[in-house]
Amino acid sequence: VFIHGRDQQKLDATVAELSQHGDVNGFCHDLSSVQGCTDLASDVKKNTPKLDVLINNAGVFSTSQTYTPTNLEMTFAVNVLAPFVLTRELLPILKKSSRVINVSSISQHDGPPTDFDNLNYLKGGWDPHTSYGMSKRLMALYSKELSRRIDPLVVSCDPGTVKTKMLLAGWGEYGIDLKDANNEFTLATSTELTSEDDGKYYFGDLPHDDVNDVDKGRELWKILETLAGDQCI
């Protein structure tokens, strides 16, 4: 098992705890940059010739409008562009039998209509819930488009309303305990998923209408491809 964190001390503590149950490696990288994503993928590829399951779970909920050094809105950079880059870089070790699980959210319904010309909110309209909700809508849309392009099974999901620092910052103290949040684990281990499930969104409400829009999926892909640089899928 490989896990990622952005705080080395916390990552080390988590690896130590999980290592009681099996072989666990942790890698510390900043996923708000393309370089950080490619460095993480490089570390993973040095340690295994194959990934059975890739879970794109890293995400942020920003309470202030923040931008990366490359002038990308932080929530978009971490929640949308990072999974795109990481998955692209790990494709050589993702086999046809592998699974990619992209963590979206029921929050994908929050905010105004999708505006690909305002992903950085330079035309205004930013607030924490709009930014987060849009990023999770785009994550589900990206997941659907990815399923059309690669052999491994690709699904997205709502992780559940889980008591985390993110939930506390944005919605208050409620929800289920972390130990009860099994949606990703269920999708990672289920023997019932087949090729018929490719591209589906699981748990919570039905996905936003945009998620099934083929043209919007292609448009998002082109944007991510440009931002990521290099040759893409």
Side-chain angles (χ1 to χ4, degrees), residues 9 33 39 45 71-72 83-84 86-87 98 102 113 119 127 132 139 149-150 155 172 177 179 183-184 190 213 221:
Q9 187 174 359
S33 72
D39 288 345
K45 287 186 286 189
N71 298 315
L72 290 176
F84 176 86
L86 186 60
T87 304
S98 302
N102 293 315
L119 296 180
D127 73 54
Y132 181 78
M139 184 62 153
R149 294 173 180 257
I150 67 173
V155 295
D177 290 335
K179 62 181 177 61
N183 288 358
E184 294 103 314
S190 174
D213 189 314
W221 192 275

Coordinates of all heavy atoms in Angstrom, one line a residue, residues 9 33 39 45 71-72 83-84 86-87 98 102 113 119 127 132 139 149-150 155 172 177 179 183-184 190 213 221:
Q9 N 5.7 14.7 9.1 CA 5.5 14.2 10.4 C 4.2 13.4 10.6 O 4.2 12.3 11.1 CB 5.5 15.3 11.5 CG 5.5 14.8 12.9 CD 5.7 15.9 13.9 OE1 5.9 17.1 13.6 NE2 5.7 15.6 15.2
S33 N 1.2 21.4 -7.3 CA 2.0 21.7 -8.5 C 2.1 20.5 -9.4 O 2.0 19.3 -8.9 CB 3.4 22.2 -8.1 OG 4.1 21.0 -7.6
D39 N 6.5 14.0 -9.4 CA 7.5 13.4 -8.4 C 6.9 12.3 -7.6 O 7.5 11.3 -7.3 CB 8.0 14.5 -7.5 CG 8.9 15.5 -8.2 OD1 9.4 15.2 -9.3 OD2 9.2 16.6 -7.6
K45 N 6.4 4.5 -9.0 CA 6.8 3.7 -10.0 C 8.2 3.0 -9.7 O 8.5 1.9 -10.2 CB 6.9 4.4 -11.4 CG 5.6 4.7 -12.0 CD 5.7 5.4 -13.3 CE 6.1 6.8 -13.3 NZ 6.0 7.5 -14.6
N71 N -0.3 30.4 -10.6 CA -1.5 31.2 -10.7 C -2.8 30.4 -11.0 O -3.7 30.8 -11.8 CB -1.3 32.3 -11.8 CG -0.2 33.3 -11.5 OD1 -0.2 33.8 -10.3 ND2 0.6 33.6 -12.4
L72 N -2.8 29.2 -10.5 CA -4.0 28.4 -10.5 C -4.8 28.5 -9.2 O -4.1 28.5 -8.1 CB -3.7 26.9 -10.8 CG -3.2 26.6 -12.2 CD1 -2.8 25.1 -12.3 CD2 -4.2 26.9 -13.3
P83 N -5.2 15.1 -9.8 CA -5.6 13.7 -10.2 C -5.4 13.4 -11.6 O -5.0 12.3 -12.0 CB -7.1 13.7 -9.8 CG -7.3 14.7 -8.8 CD -6.3 15.8 -9.1
F84 N -5.6 14.4 -12.5 CA -5.3 14.2 -13.9 C -3.9 13.9 -14.2 O -3.5 13.0 -14.9 CB -5.7 15.5 -14.7 CG -5.5 15.5 -16.1 CD1 -6.4 14.9 -17.0 CD2 -4.3 16.0 -16.6 CE1 -6.1 14.9 -18.4 CE2 -4.0 16.0 -18.0 CZ -4.9 15.4 -18.9
L86 N -1.5 13.0 -12.0 CA -1.0 11.8 -11.3 C -1.5 10.5 -12.0 O -0.7 9.6 -12.2 CB -1.6 11.7 -9.8 CG -1.1 10.6 -8.9 CD1 0.4 10.6 -8.8 CD2 -1.8 10.7 -7.6
T87 N -2.7 10.5 -12.4 CA -3.2 9.3 -13.2 C -2.5 9.1 -14.5 O -2.1 8.0 -14.9 CB -4.7 9.4 -13.4 OG1 -5.4 9.6 -12.2 CG2 -5.3 8.2 -14.1
S98 N -6.7 -3.2 -13.4 CA -6.7 -2.2 -12.3 C -8.0 -1.4 -12.2 O -8.8 -1.4 -13.1 CB -5.5 -1.3 -12.5 OG -4.3 -2.0 -12.6
N102 N -12.0 7.9 -8.4 CA -11.9 9.4 -8.2 C -12.9 9.9 -7.2 O -14.1 9.7 -7.4 CB -12.0 10.1 -9.6 CG -10.9 9.7 -10.5 OD1 -9.8 9.8 -10.1 ND2 -11.2 9.4 -11.8
P113 N -23.8 27.4 -12.9 CA -23.4 26.5 -14.1 C -21.9 26.5 -14.3 O -21.2 27.4 -14.1 CB -24.2 27.1 -15.2 CG -25.3 27.9 -14.6 CD -24.8 28.4 -13.3
L119 N -12.6 29.1 -14.5 CA -12.1 28.1 -13.5 C -11.2 28.8 -12.5 O -11.0 28.2 -11.4 CB -11.4 27.0 -14.2 CG -12.3 26.2 -15.2 CD1 -11.5 25.1 -15.8 CD2 -13.5 25.6 -14.4
D127 N -16.4 31.7 -3.9 CA -16.6 31.6 -2.5 C -16.2 30.1 -2.2 O -16.1 29.3 -3.1 CB -18.0 31.9 -2.0 CG -19.0 30.9 -2.4 OD1 -18.9 29.7 -2.1 OD2 -20.0 31.3 -3.0
Y132 N -15.3 24.6 -4.1 CA -15.2 23.2 -3.8 C -16.2 22.4 -4.6 O -15.8 21.4 -5.1 CB -15.4 23.0 -2.3 CG -15.3 21.6 -1.8 CD1 -14.1 21.0 -1.7 CD2 -16.4 20.8 -1.6 CE1 -14.0 19.7 -1.3 CE2 -16.4 19.5 -1.2 CZ -15.1 18.9 -1.0 OH -15.0 17.6 -0.7
M139 N -14.4 16.9 -11.1 CA -13.7 15.6 -10.8 C -14.6 14.4 -11.4 O -14.1 13.5 -12.0 CB -13.6 15.4 -9.3 CG -12.8 14.1 -8.9 SD -11.1 14.1 -9.5 CE -10.4 13.0 -8.3
R149 N -11.2 6.7 -22.2 CA -9.9 6.7 -22.8 C -8.9 5.7 -22.4 O -7.9 5.4 -23.0 CB -9.3 8.1 -22.5 CG -10.0 9.3 -23.2 CD -9.5 10.6 -22.7 NE -10.1 11.7 -23.4 CZ -9.6 12.5 -24.4 NH1 -8.4 12.2 -24.8 NH2 -10.3 13.5 -24.9
I150 N -9.2 5.0 -21.2 CA -8.2 4.0 -20.7 C -8.9 2.7 -20.5 O -10.1 2.6 -20.3 CB -7.5 4.5 -19.5 CG1 -8.4 4.6 -18.3 CG2 -6.8 5.8 -19.7 CD1 -7.7 4.9 -17.0
V155 N -14.2 4.7 -11.8 CA -15.5 5.1 -11.2 C -15.2 6.3 -10.3 O -14.1 6.6 -9.9 CB -16.1 4.0 -10.4 CG1 -16.5 2.9 -11.2 CG2 -15.1 3.5 -9.3
G172 N -19.4 22.5 9.5 CA -19.7 22.3 10.9 C -19.4 20.9 11.3 O -19.0 20.0 10.5
D177 N -18.1 8.9 11.6 CA -16.7 8.8 12.0 C -15.8 8.3 10.9 O -16.3 7.6 10.0 CB -16.5 7.8 13.2 CG -17.1 8.4 14.5 OD1 -17.1 9.7 14.6 OD2 -17.5 7.7 15.4
K179 N -13.7 6.0 10.7 CA -13.6 4.5 10.6 C -14.8 3.9 9.9 O -14.8 2.8 9.5 CB -13.4 3.9 12.0 CG -14.6 4.2 13.0 CD -14.4 3.6 14.3 CE -15.5 3.9 15.3 NZ -16.8 3.4 14.9
N183 N -16.8 4.0 1.6 CA -17.2 4.0 0.2 C -16.1 3.7 -0.7 O -16.2 2.9 -1.7 CB -17.8 5.4 -0.1 CG -19.2 5.6 0.5 OD1 -19.7 4.7 1.2 ND2 -19.7 6.8 0.3
E184 N -14.9 4.3 -0.6 CA -13.8 4.1 -1.5 C -13.3 2.6 -1.3 O -13.0 2.0 -2.3 CB -12.6 5.0 -1.2 CG -12.9 6.5 -1.5 CD -13.2 7.3 -0.2 OE1 -14.0 6.8 0.6 OE2 -12.6 8.4 -0.1
S190 N -14.7 -4.4 -4.2 CA -15.9 -5.1 -4.7 C -15.6 -6.1 -5.8 O -15.0 -5.7 -6.8 CB -17.0 -4.1 -5.1 OG -18.1 -4.8 -5.7
D213 N -22.3 14.9 -19.9 CA -22.2 15.7 -21.2 C -20.8 15.4 -21.8 O -19.8 15.8 -21.4 CB -22.3 17.2 -20.8 CG -22.4 18.0 -22.1 OD1 -21.7 17.8 -23.0 OD2 -23.3 19.0 -22.1
W221 N -11.1 18.0 -20.7 CA -9.8 17.3 -20.9 C -8.8 18.2 -21.6 O -7.6 18.2 -21.3 CB -10.2 16.1 -21.8 CG -9.0 15.1 -21.9 CD1 -8.0 15.2 -22.7 CD2 -8.8 14.0 -21.0 NE1 -7.1 14.1 -22.5 CE2 -7.6 13.4 -21.4 CE3 -9.5 13.4 -19.9 CZ2 -7.1 12.3 -20.8 CZ3 -9.0 12.3 -19.3 CH2 -7.8 11.7 -19.8

